[in-house]
Amino acid sequence: AHVAVETLASCAGQSLPITEARREAAHAVAHAMRTFMARADVSARDLRTTLLVATDFGAQVGSLQVGDGALVLLASDGTVFR
């Protein structure tokens, strides 16, 4: 999780668009997971984990999901975003 948060924070500091920040974070998480799996000699299936991250980029909210979970946002007007 810290890899995603650190990457998103770095992207926000560089004023990158939110779509690019999410892409960078997803790549960083995938790389960290592959590195961990190789070191621990386990498969992705062995980990059975879900990472959900929501970030506030001022006027925009970004989300990142790795795994089979879901992140749902309920807006103040009742709109649900999945």
Side-chain angles (χ1 to χ4, degrees):
H2 72 277
V3 171
V5 172
E6 289 172 3
T7 304
L8 288 168
S10 173
C11 290
Q14 298 172 39
S15 299
L16 292 179
I18 197 166
T19 53
E20 190 173 335
R22 286 189 309 209
R23 188 177 315 114
E24 290 291 323
H27 286 295
V29 168
H31 175 71
M33 293 298 293
R34 284 192 300 272
T35 300
F36 175 79
M37 289 184 295
R39 250 189 251 159
D41 193 28
V42 297
S43 71
R45 188 169 201 76
D46 293 329
L47 298 177
R48 291 184 180 93
T49 187
T50 299
L51 172 66
L52 304 170
V53 178
T55 54
D56 178 356
F57 275 65
Q60 296 180 321
V61 174
S63 64
L64 172 68
Q65 171 198 338
V66 178
D68 61 357
L71 190 62
V72 178
L73 173 68
L74 176 61
S76 59
D77 67 359
T79 305
V80 176
F81 299 91
R82 299 179 197 272

